[in-house]
Amino acid sequence: MATALGVCARIHAEEQQLAWSSTMNDGPDPALKEMTYDIGDGEKTFMAYVEPDVTSFYAEDPPSSTRVVPKFTGLASKFINLSKDNIRLYWEAHENAEPNLIRNFPPFNAGGTASFPGHRFFFATDTDPFERLESYLVGEYPENLYVYDPYKVEGDPEQTEANLEGLNMVEKTMYLQWDKTLKFNDHYFNFTGRTYLANYMRPAPEHFMWRADHFGQQHWVTSKETHFVDIPSRELTAPVPSSPKDRILKPEDKRILSEYRDPDQGLLNMTLTVLSCAPRVFEIQNFLSPAEVQHIMELAGQIDLKESTTGDVGQEVKEVDFEEQKKRKTRTSKNSWVERERSLIVDAIYRRAADVMRIDEAKLRRRDASEYPEMKSKNTIAEALQLVHYDKTQEYTAHHDFGYTKIEDMDHGARFATLLLYLNDVEMGGETSFPRWVNAETFQGLKVKPQTGKAVLFYSQLPDGNMDDFSQHAALPVLKGEKWLINLWVWDPVYGK
């Protein structure tokens, strides 16, 4: 019986996620090109993402034949500790300024931050910020990597090997894995013009990725998770089944609480419109109905919002002093979390989100042994919805949603996609900005205006599995009124809690 239920879950995913597109999406991505490399263990090949020429991003004649250099010069800066010691990363406003602690770095660990050319960082011992180990001056894109390696002696492999003799087997294994990653980065950089921000060898995403061939391109997807036009009492929305088996919906099953949904919608038709090709950004109008927005806002009234924080995703990081955190404040909103199991309405929104991303909803919740037995973990690949509120003047400066996995993590779990759901019309300001979108017409960032019920989908990963530095985005300051939204983050291949 368990096997049959697993089959039902797969059939449900295939039949529910009916998708049509102006471009065939099921074949190989044309931006993937074969790269040959050798990092010391023989010649191999890798399908690397090579950004298409900007002129191809225009369905008609482009305004220019060259890409515009964006006004925004920020980029991701990844720092790597290749020592067996615990060390700390500091930022300083200028030479010999008071150091500001960024974070602690365990042995053979990596972490990062959004930065700008000219920013100054340094590694120091974990006991004294004035005992510097190595200093860095951030360069221009695509210079993203900054490495502290106390063992390597340039041009002297014998001395390097002698220095490594002080490492135990586990330490040396991690060092050599980092060495492979950095050597692979050299090949990848020369072939694509980008830094390899993942760890070697991270596979291509397991999940479906919508193509973004040109601005204005549209894809169409349908969902059986139609809009709610009325919200039942809390007693009816609250009991979300706890057993994974009880949450499977077969193709012939009626949707949950169907009597409260739009009777004229046999299927919900959703259109994804390409706003940006690099990074891949899509707009989906009317993803949420007014009744669903009202339900989420009512949930918000029951939730105690806390001051939003920032930090490395997927990393176990020791807390730093709060006064130092305040000095480098980048986020001024308040937020909280809404679990999928909070209500049947929220559960339906997750199912609709799975459809628009063409991912089986079963992967966005805990599964039993019959569902995707080949998957290593039965846990969800989706985070709880993050409910965020911005008051006037509040913002979230440009940042990335992805983080950096540990070198020993063979799952390479990282945030794959972000689905933003706007809950109100902002009177002025509050746009979601992508300041580094590739185009041939303006050096200004792409701005997406918040509108009630609208969704924005973008990917933090490239089709080859690398992290997309251009996915950097910001919540611009609210100039008038307030802003409410929820975020859904989906991971690939596993959720690295």
Side-chain angles (χ1 to χ4, degrees):
M1 184 63 178
T3 303
L5 283 170
V7 172
C8 285
R10 288 178 178 78
I11 293 174
H12 163 61
E14 293 171 0
E15 293 197 10
Q16 182 179 353
Q17 295 167 6
L18 307 173
W20 299 268
S21 173
S22 59
T23 300
M24 184 61 66
N25 272 270
D26 296 326
D29 193 305
L32 293 175
K33 309 296 182 183
E34 186 174 87
M35 178 186 89
T36 302
Y37 69 96
D38 188 342
I39 57 174
D41 52 1
E43 189 173 281
K44 298 178 182 179
T45 60
F46 176 78
M47 297 303 294
Y49 172 82
V50 179
E51 183 183 298
D53 187 273
V54 69
T55 58
S56 70
F57 294 167
Y58 293 84
E60 300 178 352
D61 292 338
S64 171
S65 60
T66 58
R67 60 185 293 177
V68 176
V69 177
K71 178 180 179 180
F72 181 87
T73 59
L75 72 168
S77 295
K78 181 178 181 180
F79 298 87
I80 305 173
N81 173 21
L82 285 189
S83 78
K84 64 178 181 179
D85 300 316
N86 288 294
I87 61 177
R88 290 186 169 191
L89 180 69
Y90 292 86
W91 170 79
E92 56 182 356
H94 54 82
E95 189 174 5
N96 298 322
E98 181 182 356
N100 293 280
L101 177 62
I102 299 297
R103 56 156 288 188
N104 302 282
F105 277 70
F108 305 102
N109 193 265
T113 182
S115 188
F116 290 88
H119 275 193
R120 309 174 69 93
F121 295 88
F122 64 89
F123 276 124
T125 65
D126 64 348
T127 56
D128 185 356
F130 297 101
E131 189 177 345
R132 299 194 180 201
L133 301 171
E134 192 156 344
S135 299
Y136 311 94
L137 186 67
V138 173
E140 296 183 355
Y141 176 84
E143 294 182 38
N144 299 96
L145 296 184
Y146 301 91
V147 182
Y148 170 60
D149 185 350
Y151 309 111
K152 186 175 183 178
V153 179
E154 291 291 344
D156 193 341
E158 292 184 0
Q159 184 59 53
T160 298
E161 186 60 34
N163 293 340
L164 293 176
E165 291 179 0
L167 302 179
N168 61 38
M169 184 178 299
V170 173
E171 292 168 340
K172 189 169 184 179
T173 297
M174 289 192 287
Y175 180 91
L176 293 178
Q177 186 61 27
W178 273 121
D179 186 59
K180 287 184 177 181
T181 294
L182 296 173
K183 287 178 179 177
F184 179 80
N185 170 69
D186 292 339
H187 291 275
Y188 186 89
F189 185 94
N190 291 332
F191 189 80
T192 69
R194 287 177 179 253
T195 296
Y196 192 67
L197 293 172
N199 294 342
Y200 182 80
M201 164 52 66
R202 191 182 197 282
E206 293 183 0
H207 308 317
F208 176 85
M209 288 187 73
W210 288 106
R211 291 257 293 274
D213 299 323
H214 59 81
F215 304 130
Q217 179 184 18
Q218 292 188 325
H219 307 293
W220 299 274
V221 63
T222 62
S223 173
K224 292 183 178 180
E225 294 299 334
T226 54
H227 281 146
F228 283 86
V229 294
D230 194 15
I231 302 298
S233 65
R234 189 182 303 179
E235 290 73 22
L236 291 178
T237 63
V240 178
S242 58
S243 169
K245 293 181 180 180
D246 295 334
R247 300 177 70 170
I248 296 174
L249 291 177
K250 300 176 183 178
E252 65 273 14
D253 290 341
K254 292 179 66 176
R255 298 302 95 179
I256 298 170
L257 300 173
S258 58
E259 64 272 26
Y260 294 92
R261 301 181 187 236
D262 189 336
D264 297 325
Q265 290 180 342
L267 290 171
L268 176 61
N269 297 301
M270 295 178 285
T271 301
L272 295 87
T273 301
V274 174
L275 301 182
S276 170
C277 303
R280 297 188 183 191
V281 182
F282 308 84
E283 181 180 75
I284 306 129
Q285 296 286 351
N286 302 313
F287 183 88
L288 296 175
S289 71
E292 292 160 355
V293 170
Q294 178 186 347
H295 177 69
I296 295 170
M297 295 300 289
E298 289 175 353
L299 289 179
Q302 306 164 21
I303 296 173
D304 183 21
L305 297 177
K306 304 294 186 181
E307 185 174 338
S308 300
T309 59
T310 61
D312 284 343
V313 180
Q315 291 281 1
E316 296 177 3
V317 182
K318 184 179 179 181
E319 291 294 326
V320 300
D321 184 78
F322 181 68
E323 289 301 315
E324 290 179 322
Q325 289 277 17
K326 288 199 296 185
K327 293 176 185 177
R328 51 191 175 87
K329 191 75 172 175
T330 60
R331 192 172 192 180
T332 54
S333 60
K334 290 187 176 182
N335 73 344
S336 190
W337 302 91
V338 181
E339 302 287 344
R340 178 174 175 175
E341 292 72 24
R342 183 68 180 261
S343 81
L344 290 171
I345 311 299
V346 175
D347 180 75
I349 292 171
Y350 268 84
R351 292 174 185 268
R352 189 183 303 153
D355 288 343
V356 84
M357 289 186 280
R358 289 184 60 177
I359 299 174
D360 189 349
E361 66 83 22
K363 294 184 178 181
L364 274 60
R365 58 169 169 79
R366 183 163 182 82
R367 301 171 298 281
D368 66 18
S370 68
E371 299 176 285
Y372 294 97
E374 71 279 6
M375 291 184 69
K376 179 179 179 180
S377 171
K378 295 304 176 186
N379 290 326
T380 176
I381 61 167
E383 298 183 41
L385 294 175
Q386 184 190 48
L387 175 65
V388 188
H389 175 251
Y390 294 87
D391 216 334
K392 185 177 178 181
T393 74
Q394 291 185 328
E395 64 178 317
Y396 191 179
T397 57
H399 61 282
H400 300 84
D401 282 353
F402 63 77
Y404 302 106
T405 57
K406 297 178 180 179
I407 195 64
E408 65 269 28
D409 180 4
M410 294 295 101
D411 292 326
H412 300 278
R415 282 178 176 167
F416 165 71
T418 300
L419 188 67
L420 303 177
L421 306 177
Y422 299 115
L423 303 179
N424 73 310
D425 294 337
V426 180
E427 293 183 64
M428 187 180 299
E431 298 93 345
T432 301
S433 171
F434 295 87
R436 300 170 65 192
W437 69 305
V438 178
N439 71 93
E441 54 196 287
T442 178
F443 57 79
Q444 299 289 354
L446 172 70
K447 294 182 181 180
V448 185
K449 182 178 177 60
Q451 294 174 305
T452 305
K454 181 168 75 176
V456 171
L457 171 67
F458 65 91
Y459 296 104
S460 291
Q461 296 180 23
L462 296 170
D464 62 8
N466 190 15
M467 304 300 108
D468 187 355
D469 193 9
F470 291 169
S471 68
Q472 191 170 10
H473 57 287
L476 298 182
V478 174
L479 303 178
K480 186 178 181 181
E482 61 179 342
K483 175 182 174 183
W484 287 89
L485 79 157
I486 50 177
N487 301 318
L488 174 61
W489 285 301
V490 175
W491 288 58
D492 178 275
V494 295
Y495 179 14
K497 292 185 179 180

